[in-house]
Amino acid sequence: MTEHALSAIGAGFFVSILGVLIKYVGVMDLIAGYDPEKVADEEGLANFIGTNALYVAVLTICVGVLEFRSSPANSEWYWFVFVIAVVAIAVRMIRGARRYESTSERNETN
């Protein structure tokens, strides 16, 4: 149980580093599928994706803390909530990132 908690907390810190690099440093190459020719607002995209990555990081760290403090029989509910929340954030990131595409790229895909 302790190793699962430490793994989740470590993964959360790793994702938070990625979120900070994207949002505050502007390392756009960390964004999967990033194409500078398609993006109209790089700063807005970095802010949006970085913020959502930080949300996932906080959720992951919280799950690690809960895993550390809870009994193994009581851990199912927060893992279920975690998976649903991460999927919802991923869908939000994918759909929301389209706002930052140039209008010509959006018209070609529709």
Side-chain angles (χ1 to χ4, degrees), residues 22-56:
I22 293 169
K23 181 174 182 170
Y24 297 109
V25 181
V27 183
M28 303 294 286
D29 293 330
L30 294 175
I31 301 173
Y34 171 71
D35 185 359
E37 295 175 6
K38 294 182 179 181
V39 176
D41 181 11
E42 287 189 12
E43 186 176 322
L45 179 64
N47 186 38
F48 178 75
I49 297 295
T51 300
N52 283 290
L54 290 172
Y55 292 156
V56 171

Side-chain angles (χ1 to χ4, degrees), residues 69-82:
R69 301 188 86 212
S70 298
S71 67
N74 202 16
S75 67
E76 294 173 359
W77 70 270
Y78 55 79
W79 281 106
F80 183 71
V81 171
F82 173 76

Side-chain angles (χ1 to χ4, degrees), residues 51-64:
T51 300
N52 283 290
L54 290 172
Y55 292 156
V56 171
V58 168
L59 283 170
T60 307
I61 291 170
C62 287
V63 163

